[in-house]
Amino acid sequence: MNERKTIDLEQGWDFMQKGITKLKNILEGLPEPQFSSEDYMMLYTTIYNMCTQKPPHDYSQQLYDKYRESFEEYITSTVLPSLREKHDEFMLRELVRRWSNHKVMVRWLSRFFHYLDRYFIARRSLPPLNEVGLACFRDLVYQEVNGKVRDAVISLIDQEREGEQIDRALLKNVLDIFVEIGMGQMEYYENDFEASMLNDTAAYYSRKASNWILEDSCPDYMLKAEECLKREKDRVSHYLHSSSEPKLLEKVQNELLSVYATQLLEKEHSGCHALLRDDKVDDLSRMYRLFSKIPKGLDPVSSMFKQHVTAEGTTLVKQAEDAASTKKAEKRDVVGLQEQVFVRKVIELHDKYLAYVNDCFMNHTLFHKALKEAFEIFCNKGVAGSSSAELLATFCDNILKKGGSEKLSDEAIEDTLEKVVKLLAYISDKDLFAEFYRKKLARRLLFDKSANDEHERSILTKLKQQCGGQFTSKMEGMVTDLTLAKENQSHFEEYLNNNPNVSPGIDLTVTVLTTGFWPSYKSFDLNLPAEMVKCVEVFREFYQTKTKHRKLTWIYSLGTCNINGKFEPKTMELIVTTYQASALLLFNLSDRLSYQEIMTQLNLSDDDVVRLLHSLSCAKYKILLKEPNTKTISPTDYFEFNSKFTDKMRRIKIPLPPVDEKKKVIEDVDKDRRYAIDASIVRIMKSRKVLGYQQLVMECVEQLGRMFKPDVKAIKKRIEDLITRDYLERDKENPNLFRYLA
Amino acid sequence: MNKLGRGHRDKVQQFMTITGASEKVALQSLKASDWHLDGAFDVFYSQPHPKSFTDTKHLEEMYNRYKGKLTINHPYADMIMADGISTLCNDLQVDPQDIVMLVVSWHMKAATMCEFTKQEFVGGLQSLGIDSLEKFRERIPFMRSELKDDQKFKEIYIFAFGWAKEKGQKSLALDTAIGMWQLLFEEKEWPLVDHWCQFLQARHNKAISRDTWSQLLEFARSVDPTLANYDAEGAWPYLIDEFVEYLIENGIIEKGRVM
């Protein structure tokens, strides 16, 4: 390349000036041919040359200054005047046009001067051309008009809120200027526009809410609020910067919801209570959606939900209570049906509100907790002297036994059992339930009253899942025992077939049970008739061939017998208990016996004798004649076989009403609790050695809470008992402190 | 004593019986004379003992005066029994029911009510520096005054439980307990003592555990008789909690006010 001719500043800038004027003309829309690549190359080359000449002819600094001056000159002479003469929307349009032109100008000019960027600016760490160009607009135009622009924009937004159509694209473009002018920083948008917009929004909705809260019902208000929030969200997506969304929604939620939360939720005829009462699930869902967004917004909703469910449940308790008290005057047999209905209703109530929690309240833990607490309150009340633990156990029994009052399909039974087990979670006396359940299970199993083995096993699985293996281990043992007993019986029959010389004389079925799994029963009380004594001997011999180290204990009170009664009209088969049979067989040897004689010969207690003689002489079937012929048994009575007795059936069952076991169950549970508390205290103290009273009680309650809610007084008594038994001592200095004595 | 061989143990016993010295002194003297009894006596009598000014011979005589007669009913009664105690009270001009007899028993570390073994009696009087009835009588007012001392009262109160209960029992029969409380709190002036005893008879009617016994003193000392500072959540034995409930139920105490 040849030696280049030096260009002086004047000359070079003249050339540049021409190019710049051409660019301005194009921007102003004046007729002017587009830049050709040749034009562009020439301009670029001029700059290149002027910057690469040897000092003092290196004009980089001058050109850098002139670059900025060109913008300043254009803005002051053309842009600002045109903006100043326009207002409102027109001003906004003009600003948008000017900004977009300015960006074009920056792009082109910075290309012409590009060589400056590459060396001069880079070496001196000066602001790059692009930035200089944009900064000119910011300093001269934006700083002057941003206040006016902001007001115009906010006023347009308010117009849109009132339902007017506005040019969203224009707003989008204007707000983009606020963002772009920051060149990567959001502070211009945030300080010059967003802050005022948020304030205006708050004021706007504060005005609206203060009217709506007075005029509208709670559902209407919520509809409006939801709609407003939706529209504000739209607004953000259409023209606000996305970073504004959380701030904007927060403002709106605060004005519409937080400020009026209490007033809204407690509206007398349409508030949360009314919605729950009228089952307005849609409105409740909306309430959840709205209030889940504000801080602590759900607390009052869930607490009202809890109150409502508690009230509904308490009403059910009261209904059942009333029904039971009117029933009492009538027959005793029907008592129980009411409680059955009660449990059914509680299950329905639970279904209903669990659905609310799942659907309306989106499974939120706060509502699960409210539901749980509400059910815990009324589920532990009990009805008409029966604890809820007993009611649930009876309810299960009714479903699981043959001929119970509920007629259900298999699926319905499964479903109901599932729900009963769920309710059990709310019962604090789970141990009491277990004891009642075991009593009833024992009756079902031993008297062949269980309707379906699968259901028995299925509820045990469910209980096991919910309450743990320890809870059901005995019950499972009982069910297994019965299966084993059936096998054992067939072995026994085989044994009798193989040994014709041993014969019990009568058909005998024995159910061998494992002590410990089953509730405790009285044993070995009855003087067995000779016929039966032989049976017992034969079975014992058989059992010894099978096992050596097991002891058989006979529980006659659970036995049943089929005996033939040779009455004068016809012979009949009587199905009776072993007790009843033993009493009747006494009359094979004597015609007439006194109460005392019967009692001595049978070796039973007064209670038992009265009960069984009543069933044989005062109830439906009078197998024995009583002297005097009254309705109750007295120790001075005499009895005689009623040989004239007959009935249209050939086979009759003479029921012996079971003893009321409720008191015993409760006592048993109470005793077990004492052991449980002792064990828990010793466990805690063994690991802690020294512990304050309050904390000991607290830990004890916590440990035992899964099974029952121990009474603090009971714990105190156990602590004192343990002190007496030298497991613990009170600290000499501080009587609130206990020490473990190893 | 238990660590000693049989021969040594017998010597200690013999030494103590003759000199009336304490076990500790007996051991010291015997060890000093290499377990020769005669030598030990020399050691013992040649040294000035702080307690030896009580004339053991007199004590022995006193003991013999009160000790039970060997009868068919009490073949092994080498101790002072109820009869002896009542004679003693007579000599001291003190009512046997007087609380000061409890203080005497406390000084003698008596294991059981209405009984003093020889060791308890002689040892107790020695430690009190008494060797004559005269001196004994003079000390009675002092012992009575000891009840006014809070710390001593507490010791005596705690001592009373073990002293009053039946041998082999863990707890104190209710009647005895009530008697003791009435006696003790007459001294300590606890305004609720009658209510407490009435409450026990009406609601409890069972023996009293050691814990309840000792906590009651604590209760009487620290809880205001109007119950103003009673904490229902505290660790008071349940019987005391129930007593408070009883007081409120029966309108004896109402909101920090004695009715």
Side-chain angles (χ1 to χ4, degrees), chain A residues 721-736:
Chain A
D721 193 65
L722 289 170
I723 293 178
T724 316
R725 281 150 62 199
D726 291 333
Y727 281 92
L728 307 181
E729 67 173 1
R730 231 183 251 272
D731 187 81
K732 302 236 162 27
E733 303 302 317
N734 178 359
N736 278 318

Side-chain angles (χ1 to χ4, degrees), chain A residues 693-694 713 716-717 720 723-726 730-733 735-738, chain B residues 170 209 211-212 215 218 231-239 241-242 245:
Chain A
Y693 164 74
Q694 306 283 1
K713 231 182 198 173
K716 200 173 230 188
K717 280 192 189 179
E720 286 175 46
I723 293 178
T724 316
R725 281 150 62 199
D726 291 333
R730 231 183 251 272
D731 187 81
K732 302 236 162 27
E733 303 302 317
N736 278 318
L737 215 56
F738 296 104
Chain B
K170 284 203 154 179
S209 73
D211 185 53
T212 307
Q215 288 301 302
E218 199 59 38
D231 175 13
E233 309 282 296
W236 296 116
Y238 80 96
L239 206 52
D241 286 339
E242 283 185 357
E245 274 169 38

Side-chain angles (χ1 to χ4, degrees), chain A residues 614-681:
Chain A
H614 187 273
S615 74
L616 295 170
S617 66
C618 304
K620 189 174 170 194
Y621 305 112
K622 296 185 172 50
I623 315 293
L624 298 178
L625 292 176
K626 188 172 90 74
E627 239 182 76
N629 187 10
T630 54
K631 283 276 170 208
T632 51
I633 305 292
S634 105
T636 53
D637 290 346
Y638 280 84
F639 299 86
E640 206 173 309
F641 179 61
N642 180 9
S643 54
K644 302 271 186 306
F645 174 81
T646 192
D647 191 83
K648 57 180 184 293
M649 308 293 284
R650 225 201 64 77
R651 180 186 164 127
I652 54 171
K653 184 171 179 178
I654 306 171
L656 180 63
V659 216
D660 187 16
E661 289 165 327
K662 198 184 220 167
K663 239 178 88 188
K664 187 175 177 299
V665 170
I666 293 173
E667 276 168 17
D668 284 353
V669 169
D670 233 43
K671 203 161 71 197
D672 287 347
R673 281 186 185 182
R674 286 207 289 275
Y675 297 136
I677 297 175
D678 279 357
S680 163
I681 294 174

